[in-house]
Amino acid sequence: MMLANGKTESPMEKLCRSMFQFDQGWSFHASEQLLYGEPLVHSQGNVGSCVGAGGGLAIAAKASQEILNEGDIEDPVGWSTEDANNVRDHAMPFTGYHYGAGRCKNLWNGERFVGSISRGDGSYCSVQIWAYKTVGLLPCDRVKDEYRGPFPQSSDVRSWGNNRNDELSEHLDIASEYRMSESVVVRSGQDLVNVITVLKQPCHICSGWGFASAGFDSRYEMTIYRRSGTWYHNMTIYGVFEVKGTWFVLVKNSWGAQAHRDIGRGLPAGCFVIPLSLFDTWIPQAECMSIGELTLPKPLPLFNNVSREI
């Protein structure tokens, strides 16, 4: 298949496409399924760290695209630890680091973080993008002695976002090896279709919009959501696709697998679907930025210390 940018899809991209149960478009759940064993899901708990949690999910999705479909010889952002019950989560970066770094952007002096803040929880997309580009991402297996996986306990998440600047600075050398080099600002539904289907970049989206299920739609054979209430919240744009002439957006939340279930068309739990036309109404009141090219270390050789002499 020839893409709009003139590139031909790789064999692995064709395999991912064969897993989709829609007419055209793209979603990152197939590459996650193939690389990690299943699409990743996360619950942020009771702290307003949705930007950190959603960012970790988006970074893992982009890494799966680069490694599996684009053939980049890279390690995921923190592969696994000895915790056999939590292996797949370790494909994600340690959220305390990039969440805290984004919140503490104004304390960055060009070399390290100086001072502290103490003003509750929460963040927004553009400072997280700054953090990925400037101070990088911390693989969770580098802090495995202190934390079992990418998501620290609620009290620790809050402290990383306020007064752990010495620890943020301590990990700069490692995190600088795991950076994002570019990001696209999304301002319309057409922008989003291009970013997801051509550039293959998932997105942060932050806004005050809430959503609720409008029920199962038999024409499209899936549950579709509508606008409802207010969520001051970040989520991940995880796919866009067409079914029977209508385009839809797949939104991944950070409220766990039980929050959104039984979507239909093979789409993963923890996500919900809205029409692209609703996204066009949403985006003027939202901040949406993509996760662009990642610069990740190359994996160590499998037989690193074995002599090749015969």
Side-chain angles (χ1 to χ4, degrees), residues 14-305:
K14 292 178 182 177
L15 177 58
C16 287
R17 193 172 294 282
S18 73
M19 299 166 63
F20 298 152
Q21 297 179 32
F22 42 76
D23 300 333
Q24 61 175 322
W26 192 259
S27 168
F28 295 94
H29 73 274
S31 56
E32 288 191 351
Q33 177 80 44
L34 293 170
L35 185 63
Y36 305 137
E38 64 183 13
L40 301 183
V41 67
H42 168 53
S43 177
Q44 71 188 63
N46 60 1
V47 172
S49 57
C50 52
V51 177
L57 289 165
I59 293 289
K62 185 64 170 72
S64 74
Q65 167 65 23
E66 292 187 7
I67 295 166
L68 187 79
N69 295 329
E70 297 172 14
D72 292 359
I73 303 173
E74 298 173 325
D75 267 335
V77 189
W79 187 224
S80 64
T81 72
E82 293 85 354
D83 184 358
N85 295 319
N86 201 25
V87 168
R88 292 185 183 93
D89 273 349
H90 297 102
M92 296 175 59
F94 178 71
T95 58
Y97 177 84
H98 59 261
Y99 170 65
R103 277 178 53 85
C104 296
K105 176 188 175 185
N106 290 339
L107 303 180
W108 177 249
N109 69 3
E111 296 182 352
R112 60 184 290 113
F113 293 95
V114 179
S116 64
I117 60 176
S118 182
R119 55 172 189 266
D121 304 325
S123 188
Y124 51 99
C125 298
S126 60
V127 294
Q128 286 295 294
I129 296 296
W130 171 88
Y132 307 148
K133 289 182 175 181
T134 308
V135 298
L137 299 148
L138 183 62
C140 59
D141 53 9
R142 299 302 183 94
V143 289
K144 65 184 180 182
D145 293 336
E146 295 86 6
Y147 305 100
R148 302 295 284 178
F151 313 114
Q153 297 296 315
S154 295
S155 59
D156 287 319
V157 174
R158 184 168 285 119
S159 65
W160 275 94
N162 285 279
N163 55 18
R164 301 285 274 275
N165 289 337
D166 287 344
E167 289 179 77
L168 288 173
S169 298
E170 175 188 335
H171 292 297
L172 286 171
D173 287 346
I174 295 171
S176 65
E177 299 179 21
Y178 299 80
R179 292 179 190 254
M180 186 187 75
S181 62
E182 62 187 15
S183 178
V184 175
V185 177
V186 173
R187 295 187 172 90
S188 69
Q190 187 55 55
D191 284 352
L192 184 68
V193 171
N194 183 67
V195 165
I196 298 287
T197 66
V198 179
L199 301 181
K200 304 285 176 59
Q201 298 180 3
C203 299
H204 271 289
I205 187 162
C206 298
S207 79
W209 274 41
F211 298 87
S213 172
F216 186 82
D217 190 306
S218 58
R219 170 175 167 76
Y220 299 109
E221 299 177 295
M222 59 183 175
T223 299
I224 299 173
Y225 274 56
R226 57 180 172 80
R227 183 182 182 183
S228 178
T230 300
W231 301 345
Y232 293 105
H233 190 40
N234 170 89
M235 293 177 286
T236 303
I237 304 298
Y238 196 53
V240 293
F241 58 91
E242 184 187 32
V243 177
K244 298 181 179 179
T246 299
W247 282 84
F248 297 93
V249 178
L250 182 62
V251 184
K252 176 176 273 193
N253 214 335
S254 55
W255 292 346
Q258 301 303 312
H260 313 289
R261 302 175 60 191
D262 302 322
I263 305 170
R265 293 196 172 270
L267 299 171
C271 301
F272 62 91
V273 171
I274 64 169
L276 183 63
S277 58
L278 182 58
F279 180 87
D280 266 320
T281 305
W282 181 17
I283 192 62
Q285 301 174 53
E287 180 186 40
C288 186
M289 303 179 73
S290 75
I291 301 297
E293 186 71 19
L294 301 176
T295 301
L296 306 176
K298 295 185 182 300
L300 293 173
L302 184 60
F303 303 107
N304 196 35
N305 297 316

